[in-house]
Amino acid sequence: MPATPFSRSFLISQPRFNHYINPIFRSVTHQLSSSPFPFNVKSSTVRFHCALSQAAETDSTSGGRSGALSPTPPVTGEVKKIDVNPPKGTRDFPPEEMRLRNWLFNNFKEVSRLYGFEEIDFPVLESEALFVRKAGEEIKDQLYCFEDRGNRRVALRPELTPSLARLVIQKGKSVSLPLKWFTVGQCWRYERMTRGRRREHYQWNMDIIGVPGVMAEAELISSIVSFFKRIGITESDVGFKVSSRKVLQEVLKCYSIPENMFGKVCVIIDKIEKIPVDEIKKELKALGLSQEAVQELLQVLSVKSLTELEERLGGSGEAIADLKQLFSLAEKFGYSKWLQLDASVVRGLAYYTGIVFEGFDREGKLRAICGGGRYDHLFSTFGADDIPACGFGFGDAVIVELLREKGLLPELSLQVHNIVCALDEELQGCAAMAANILREKGQSVDLVLESKPLKWVFKRAARTNAERLVLVGNSEWQRGMVRVKILSTGEQYEVKLDDLK
């Protein structure tokens, strides 16, 4: 087909192509089907449609923007059923699951509000460089990343802290320190799935930027404890393993291990509860650590009491001072029973520098519930001046598993205030008026959109846990009234339409 001025103007994108061609296609199909000649309508229309598609493709490749128009798939007599499951490791949220998600997120947000944090958010899609410029992290191998049409390397965010750092740097001196920010955002990691671990999840982060002292970490742990208490979790269900990255630094310094090895050692140590100790030893030796250094390191990391740790490291180091202060503050905050020292906790991300902590299930059935710590040197990895900072991440999947395990999942049924129903089909517009009045007064309304028998309406009311049934009937409507039934008591009365509330 020659590319006429008309065809060039509309064969630019698939939506516009369909807008112009579909009416022509339908018209030709109709004429062929009604023709007295022995046309094979199906094969003729298919050939017509394919010819137009090929012409559109030819025009696009010759003069249009690359990628603007995809060829129409070949039409066959059969339509293949799609896979109705979401991609592996991701989730749908039908209404009952969405109610649970909203309940959980509302608790995240309410605790953040109680602690004076402001809500922020970032794009799910970020520059790949934001996540790969830090060394010694397996997270780089878990990125969902690709090149966009502008030849830029981008990635779905696997965590939220780098995006936070980017935003703080962007705002610069326009914001006053300290910052207390929180977000609830979707994250993506291509990793092996286990119970409570998915490739797509939502995460609650709270971060304090600009406070160098341990008081910031104490405040963050307090906020998580407050959240647990709100949803019925106690210190007998959950605890916090606490340590400091400085413990590991002090041990490595004794054996003259270079600082550039620190991040890689942390990644290996973070696997202590996931792989056999012999594998840990093998990986540490592969980094160049001596047999003696490996042995000493593993002995220190097995320590579970602050007193014993102080005996091994001495009382003059920063690690011991920070941990002592944290445990002292925990007494003041009232959550000391939730904490326990565990020197093997280092967290897998390379940017942590001081106190680190993990929330864990005391029965040991689930992976870490949450985790965080201090990251005073993250900003300099992005070319900015360092700012003292700490924060935590709290995923949505593990806590739901824990609540299910403990029988603490809330019953969150759909609930509306009113069901409004017209008793005659010609009164449906009148029922809509009644529904509008109630909605403008803040009442939720499930308007029955079709003519249905009352038996169906009552079943609907039971399913939605409606409080009232508002019936619009002929006799009442002629008097400017509607009938209201209180479903919990069976009480009925008439009320003027204007007085409905």
Side-chain angles (χ1 to χ4, degrees), residues 211-400:
V211 177
V214 177
M215 187 70 180
E217 287 94 324
E219 174 87 336
L220 289 173
I221 296 174
S222 175
S223 69
I224 304 173
V225 170
S226 295
F227 168 77
F228 281 137
K229 289 179 177 179
R230 283 179 66 88
I231 62 174
I233 297 293
T234 69
E235 69 267 21
S236 62
D237 302 314
V238 164
F240 292 89
K241 296 176 182 179
V242 179
S243 187
S244 172
R245 280 280 183 98
K246 294 174 183 177
V247 171
L248 188 58
Q249 284 177 320
E250 290 183 25
V251 175
L252 295 179
K253 188 175 181 180
C254 289
Y255 289 90
S256 302
I257 306 298
E259 285 189 16
N260 62 0
M261 301 291 288
F262 180 69
K264 295 177 181 178
V265 172
C266 286
V267 170
I268 296 171
I269 297 302
D270 192 48
K271 303 175 186 176
I272 276 184
E273 294 185 353
K274 304 168 189 173
I275 63 175
V277 175
D278 287 343
E279 287 296 319
I280 297 290
K281 291 179 180 178
K282 189 184 296 183
E283 291 190 25
L284 289 172
K285 288 176 183 176
L287 285 181
L289 274 69
S290 67
Q291 175 72 26
E292 186 183 2
V294 170
Q295 198 63 32
E296 175 67 16
L297 181 59
L298 292 177
Q299 285 180 3
V300 170
L301 295 178
S302 67
V303 170
K304 305 295 181 186
S305 97
L306 191 53
T307 303
E308 185 183 350
L309 187 63
E310 187 173 5
E311 289 173 358
R312 283 185 171 273
L313 299 181
S316 60
E318 290 183 8
I320 296 298
D322 288 349
L323 288 167
K324 278 185 171 181
Q325 186 181 2
L326 179 63
F327 277 90
S328 174
L329 288 169
E331 290 280 354
K332 306 295 191 300
F333 273 102
Y335 60 77
S336 59
K337 292 180 180 179
W338 295 71
L339 299 191
Q340 69 180 52
L341 180 78
D342 187 335
S344 68
V345 173
V346 294
R347 304 293 294 158
L349 296 170
Y351 51 68
Y352 288 118
T353 57
I355 294 288
V356 284
F357 54 87
E358 284 184 359
F360 70 99
D361 162 31
R362 290 194 186 274
E363 291 186 2
K365 294 181 179 180
L366 301 168
R367 61 182 290 270
I369 301 168
C370 59
R374 179 158 291 276
Y375 52 94
D376 286 348
H377 301 316
L378 176 61
F379 293 89
S380 62
T381 67
F382 300 126
D385 293 334
D386 275 325
I387 308 172
C390 60
F392 70 80
F394 193 121
D396 68 321
V398 178
I399 188 61
V400 169

Side-chain angles (χ1 to χ4, degrees), residues 14 56 70-71 137 153 256 320 347 357-358 360 367 411 441 448 465:
Q14 187 69 51
S70 302
E137 298 182 27
R153 294 295 303 175
S256 302
I320 296 298
R347 304 293 294 158
F357 54 87
E358 284 184 359
F360 70 99
R367 61 182 290 270
E411 292 185 10
K441 294 178 180 178
V448 179
N465 295 295

Side-chain angles (χ1 to χ4, degrees), residues 83-319:
D83 182 356
V84 296
N85 296 308
K88 190 174 182 180
T90 67
R91 296 165 289 175
D92 290 317
F93 288 92
E96 62 277 7
E97 296 294 334
M98 198 66 192
R99 287 194 290 271
L100 178 61
R101 192 179 98 176
N102 286 338
W103 171 83
L104 184 65
F105 288 11
N106 287 341
N107 276 292
F108 288 157
K109 292 180 180 184
E110 179 60 15
V111 169
S112 302
R113 185 192 68 80
L114 290 172
Y115 278 74
F117 282 64
E118 294 183 279
E119 187 169 11
I120 56 171
D121 201 3
F122 334 95
V124 172
L125 190 69
E126 289 275 20
S127 166
E128 184 185 54
L130 196 63
F131 306 107
V132 302
R133 63 191 306 165
K134 303 184 299 299
E137 298 182 27
E138 63 179 358
I139 198 171
K140 292 186 293 184
D141 300 323
Q142 299 172 351
L143 287 178
Y144 279 90
C145 52
F146 56 95
E147 190 173 280
D148 69 10
R149 292 187 178 185
N151 301 318
R152 293 171 289 258
R153 294 295 303 175
V154 292
L156 296 176
R157 63 189 182 197
E159 55 161 329
L160 299 168
T161 307
S163 296
L164 168 75
R166 178 184 57 72
L167 181 59
V168 172
I169 294 169
Q170 178 201 118
K171 300 299 288 184
K173 294 182 179 180
S174 67
V175 291
S176 300
L177 300 179
L179 302 175
K180 295 172 71 176
W181 285 353
F182 84 95
T183 187
V184 180
Q186 190 181 41
C187 299
W188 296 80
R189 291 191 189 185
Y190 192 87
E191 59 182 340
R192 185 176 65 86
M193 292 179 295
T194 58
R195 186 182 178 193
R197 181 185 286 270
R198 300 176 179 274
R199 291 174 178 169
E200 164 268 334
H201 71 282
Y202 287 84
Q203 190 165 298
W204 171 39
N205 274 36
M206 291 178 70
D207 293 86
I208 299 175
I209 313 295
V211 177
V214 177
M215 187 70 180
E217 287 94 324
E219 174 87 336
L220 289 173
I221 296 174
S222 175
S223 69
I224 304 173
V225 170
S226 295
F227 168 77
F228 281 137
K229 289 179 177 179
R230 283 179 66 88
I231 62 174
I233 297 293
T234 69
E235 69 267 21
S236 62
D237 302 314
V238 164
F240 292 89
K241 296 176 182 179
V242 179
S243 187
S244 172
R245 280 280 183 98
K246 294 174 183 177
V247 171
L248 188 58
Q249 284 177 320
E250 290 183 25
V251 175
L252 295 179
K253 188 175 181 180
C254 289
Y255 289 90
S256 302
I257 306 298
E259 285 189 16
N260 62 0
M261 301 291 288
F262 180 69
K264 295 177 181 178
V265 172
C266 286
V267 170
I268 296 171
I269 297 302
D270 192 48
K271 303 175 186 176
I272 276 184
E273 294 185 353
K274 304 168 189 173
I275 63 175
V277 175
D278 287 343
E279 287 296 319
I280 297 290
K281 291 179 180 178
K282 189 184 296 183
E283 291 190 25
L284 289 172
K285 288 176 183 176
L287 285 181
L289 274 69
S290 67
Q291 175 72 26
E292 186 183 2
V294 170
Q295 198 63 32
E296 175 67 16
L297 181 59
L298 292 177
Q299 285 180 3
V300 170
L301 295 178
S302 67
V303 170
K304 305 295 181 186
S305 97
L306 191 53
T307 303
E308 185 183 350
L309 187 63
E310 187 173 5
E311 289 173 358
R312 283 185 171 273
L313 299 181
S316 60
E318 290 183 8

